[in-house]
Amino acid sequence: MKLLRYGEPGRERAGLLDENGRIRALPDALGDLAGDRLTPAGLAEIAALDPMALPVVEGDPRLGSCIARPGKFVCIGLNYRAHAAESDLPIPAEPVVFGKWSSATVGPNDDVEIPRGSEKTDWEVELGVVIGTRARHVAREEALSHVAGYCVVHDVSERAFQLERGGTWDKGKGCDTFGPTGPWLVTPDEVGDPQALRLWLEVDGHRYQDSTTADMIFSVAELVSYVSGFCTLEPGDIISTGTPEGVGLGQRPPVYLRAGQTVRLGIDRLGEQCQRFVAAA
């Protein structure tokens, strides 16, 4: 299934994408795409519906984040071999973990704000993993059974805030609007092997990133297992699994985003995003 949320910010409703690419409204009684709705039982209730019997959503509605109110937005740094190389950094011995604030989460095609004082806003296409069952100290061999689905995440980053202002990476990663998520949550049966997905990103039509998840240092299963050893993962939590080579920081000389530019990005079988970058008020 491809599950989504549509409507104005703060008033989104849950829906699904049918086999003809049309948005169908899910019954309001099922609630939003959050928490228990993303458990195996919650998803099974949606899967039992006949998509063609659901109301068609007319027009071209705004898409919100495919996950409502993620309790945790966990991110992984330096998780692609070529990206570590372009950053002139060694391969990590363990996953690099940081977080985004909940206010970073926006829809896949919403405007992204370049923060006040920013000089080094950068792009990062990433595979997002959405948790479907409570995971605490899970083994790698069992980790994928805790996954509700996958989505596209844009891990927008402000490099000066991240690397030059002291402290942790979080201050350059969690700015408002820095976490576009979606367009939809795709269940594992439609994705297949999460280590065999192509992902790409373009700025104003120029392709900077074009790689596959096969280049990950730590696989999705390893990441779910690893993070669950430090905190309990709950249904609706998101793990963003790192970005491949081709970020702005890695260009020679570095290239950063400016107001008025457009970024497109996508992942095989998970859809595309498109954002206009604007100056924050």
Side-chain angles (χ1 to χ4, degrees), residues 6-256:
Y6 66 94
E8 295 305 309
R11 301 177 63 184
E12 294 93 345
R13 296 181 60 189
L16 60 77
L17 199 72
D18 71 19
E19 61 185 16
N20 298 312
R22 293 174 297 186
I23 296 175
R24 301 275 181 163
L26 288 174
D28 288 340
L30 293 182
D32 214 339
L33 299 181
D36 288 347
R37 178 50 54 199
L38 300 171
T39 64
L43 292 176
E45 195 172 3
I46 298 175
L49 300 172
D50 177 5
M52 297 306 175
L54 298 172
V56 173
V57 178
E58 302 293 347
D60 186 22
R62 168 193 173 268
L63 296 179
S65 167
C66 59
I67 302 300
R69 304 179 302 279
K72 303 181 192 68
F73 200 149
V74 180
C75 299
I76 307 298
L78 296 174
N79 194 35
Y80 283 71
R81 294 170 181 83
H83 176 49
E86 74 174 350
S87 302
D88 294 323
L89 293 170
I91 299 295
E94 296 188 33
V96 176
V97 180
F98 60 93
K100 284 187 180 288
W101 318 127
S102 60
S103 55
T105 309
V106 293
N109 303 315
D110 289 345
D111 289 350
V112 173
E113 297 180 353
I114 296 178
R116 291 184 184 183
S118 168
E119 297 179 352
K120 298 180 179 181
T121 295
D122 203 348
W123 57 82
E124 294 190 12
V125 59
E126 303 200 2
L127 172 65
V129 178
V130 179
I131 300 301
T133 59
R134 188 174 183 271
R136 184 169 185 262
H137 298 298
V138 301
R140 181 179 61 184
E141 295 75 18
E142 301 173 357
L144 294 186
S145 69
H146 292 271
V147 174
Y150 302 92
C151 61
V152 182
V153 171
H154 191 178
D155 176 20
V156 186
S157 308
E158 211 300 334
R159 301 302 188 187
F161 296 0
Q162 174 191 357
L163 302 172
E164 301 171 18
R165 299 282 295 271
T168 66
W169 285 10
D170 303 68
K171 67 180 71 173
K173 294 286 193 170
C175 302
D176 292 351
T177 75
F178 268 25
T181 305
W184 30 77
L185 170 70
V186 185
T187 50
D189 58 295
E190 293 196 13
V191 175
D193 183 0
Q195 305 308 142
L197 299 173
R198 178 169 165 264
L199 63 173
W200 55 270
L201 180 145
E202 298 175 350
V203 180
D204 289 342
H206 179 83
R207 183 156 296 195
Y208 283 97
Q209 294 187 279
D210 197 340
S211 185
T212 77
T213 54
D215 192 46
M216 281 187 184
I217 298 164
F218 304 102
S219 69
V220 170
E222 289 173 307
L223 293 175
V224 172
S225 174
Y226 184 83
V227 175
S228 78
F230 294 94
C231 65
T232 300
L233 295 169
E234 303 283 358
D237 288 348
I238 299 171
I239 300 177
S240 196
T241 57
T243 199
E245 76 278 12
V247 300
L249 179 64
Q251 306 303 307
R252 299 293 184 266
V255 176
Y256 297 113

Side-chain angles (χ1 to χ4, degrees), residues 2 151-152 182-184 186 200 265-273:
K2 293 182 176 68
C151 61
V152 182
W184 30 77
V186 185
W200 55 270
L265 58 149
I267 302 178
D268 284 355
R269 298 193 285 280
L270 302 183
E272 297 184 11
Q273 300 184 358

